[in-house]
Amino acid sequence: MSQTIPIAAAVAVVVLAGIAYTTTQSGKDTLGDSTAPAEASAPGTDSSTSTGSSTLGNASGAETALNAQAESANAAGSGTAETTSELAESIPTEEAATGATGNAALMLTSEAIEFARGMAQDYTDDATLIEQAKALAADPALLAAVQDEFTTETDAARLDRLRLLLGQLDDPSLVGVAETMVFSGNEASAAAGLDLLRDISGKVPEARTVALDMMASTQDASLLVRATQVMASGKSDDADVVQRVVTSMSSLVQHPDASVRRAGYSTLARWSNGPSVTPTLLQGLSDDDPTVRKSTAYGFVGYPHADAAVIEALLKTAEDGADTRRARKGALLALKGMPLDDVQRQRLLSAETQLQ
């Protein structure tokens, strides 16, 4: 009996010691996992605990780390939802990084907008204008800011300065900007848009198409005159464009406003695509308005389809003492470039003498 008690006591001591040892080791493992780097974990260590703790300590991890941790937790069968939630709170997502980049872009845009507003304030000299235009051509952000400023500006003087600046460029995107202005429904904006098209039409031929479209959609005299000025930079090699211009101008010369007729006759003479327009042009020499007669006479300078009817009409204008001096001078200048016979040349000299 006395031997049984000591043996039982010894067994109990051994059991208690084993429990204590197991508890101590478990605590050491947990502490080690929370402080040791993930790559130092021994094979067989619970990956959801060790790797997850390491990633939480690195707030600059990529979004792929979040996915990797979720997959690791799934494989270990432990706390997937909790692990993923913790990681989502601690790891900057791709969207957040993009947001930071977006803020930088917004700051640049703000600077560009301020630069554009500064450009609209004052016009100094041609050299400065050229340097500013070079800056726009080299920096798409600045160009976009100035274009935006141009389309939203309401002050007439500032609007004109921006138009003058943009007009130095040959960027095709300006056609779309001008078109927005032309068809905005605001007369001042439409006028500025047409003036920009005029400035760039020699460098960006597509500008003429917008002006021609405008002609077909309005009867406003001032806008129609501006639209014809877009054609002043030279004649197109595109037969379809030439025909559109001739058709439009042939219609404008019937307009009740003399300024529109004047611009129409002048442009029609320059864009004539054959002798078929001659009868229409000759009507301008007998228009009721003297400025229209003068413009038509000068329009015949260099006219490639001069025939006997044209020469006779110009001689009569030059000899007409009741007509304006400017109309008669225009007729004389046109005649000097045409093939005249001796009689016609003598009439020209006599008319010229009368004007001296």
Side-chain angles (χ1 to χ4, degrees):
M1 185 70 175
S2 60
Q3 293 179 349
T4 303
I5 293 174
I7 292 173
V11 171
V13 170
V14 171
V15 171
L16 290 173
I19 292 172
Y21 177 80
T22 301
T23 304
T24 301
Q25 288 300 108
S26 176
K28 288 182 179 180
D29 288 345
T30 303
L31 178 61
D33 288 342
S34 65
T35 58
E39 55 270 24
S41 300
T45 303
D46 186 350
S47 60
S48 67
T49 304
S50 62
T51 311
S53 300
S54 175
T55 307
L56 283 170
N58 180 13
S60 63
E63 187 178 5
T64 52
L66 174 61
N67 296 331
Q69 294 313 307
E71 292 175 2
S72 177
N74 282 333
S78 62
T80 304
E82 293 180 3
T83 304
T84 304
S85 177
E86 287 182 303
L87 290 170
E89 293 176 359
S90 63
I91 300 175
T93 64
E94 185 177 355
E95 182 179 359
T98 302
T101 304
N103 289 337
L106 288 174
M107 289 176 61
L108 177 62
T109 301
S110 297
E111 293 173 1
I113 290 173
E114 290 304 314
F115 184 66
R117 289 175 179 169
M119 287 180 170
Q121 297 299 325
D122 298 298
Y123 173 71
T124 50
D125 52 57
D126 290 345
T128 301
L129 181 72
I130 292 172
E131 287 304 313
Q132 290 177 336
K134 289 180 179 178
L136 295 188
D139 191 331
L142 291 182
L143 176 58
V146 172
Q147 290 176 334
D148 183 67
E149 189 76 10
F150 180 64
T151 57
T152 57
E153 183 58 68
T154 56
D155 180 81
R158 296 179 66 187
L159 191 62
D160 195 57
R161 282 192 287 271
L162 290 170
R163 185 271 308 166
L164 186 62
L165 174 61
L166 291 172
Q168 307 303 308
L169 306 179
D170 59 359
D171 194 309
S173 68
L174 294 174
V175 175
V177 172
E179 184 174 17
T180 298
M181 301 282 280
V182 167
F183 293 101
S184 64
N186 179 280
E187 186 174 349
S189 295
L194 287 168
D195 287 347
L196 177 58
L197 291 173
R198 178 199 63 206
D199 292 348
I200 67 174
S201 60
K203 300 166 286 188
V204 187
E206 294 81 2
R208 295 168 180 150
T209 301
V210 179
L212 289 168
D213 290 342
M214 160 58 90
M215 290 181 194
S217 64
T218 185
Q219 283 294 306
D220 183 276
S222 63
L223 294 181
L224 286 172
V225 170
R226 278 185 156 91
T228 61
Q229 292 171 352
V230 179
M231 314 302 160
S233 62
K235 192 173 177 179
S236 174
D237 294 329
D238 188 326
D240 291 337
V241 173
V242 173
Q243 185 56 52
R244 280 197 70 186
V245 173
V246 169
T247 300
S248 296
M249 296 307 115
S250 298
S251 175
L252 289 186
V253 298
Q254 309 300 324
H255 197 279
D257 190 287
S259 65
V260 177
R261 297 199 306 275
R262 183 168 63 244
Y265 279 120
S266 178
T267 306
L268 179 59
R270 192 161 50 247
W271 281 73
S272 61
N273 57 349
S276 62
V277 302
T278 298
T280 302
L281 287 172
L282 290 177
Q283 293 174 14
L285 292 176
S286 58
D287 193 275
D288 291 339
D289 188 278
T291 65
V292 175
R293 297 196 299 272
K294 180 265 299 180
S295 182
T296 304
Y298 276 100
F300 275 111
V301 175
Y303 186 63
H305 312 295
D307 55 18
V310 171
I311 293 173
E312 182 60 25
L314 288 170
L315 282 170
K316 286 183 176 180
T317 298
E319 295 167 337
D320 188 355
D323 211 335
T324 65
R325 184 178 181 85
R326 297 189 67 186
R328 295 174 69 186
K329 279 186 169 292
L332 287 172
L333 184 61
L335 285 165
K336 288 180 179 181
M338 296 180 179
L340 305 179
D341 60 27
D342 291 341
V343 175
Q344 292 167 336
R345 187 166 299 280
Q346 185 58 49
R347 291 174 63 186
L348 182 151
L349 292 173
S350 296
E352 194 171 31
T353 301
Q354 292 174 12
L355 285 172
Q356 290 178 352

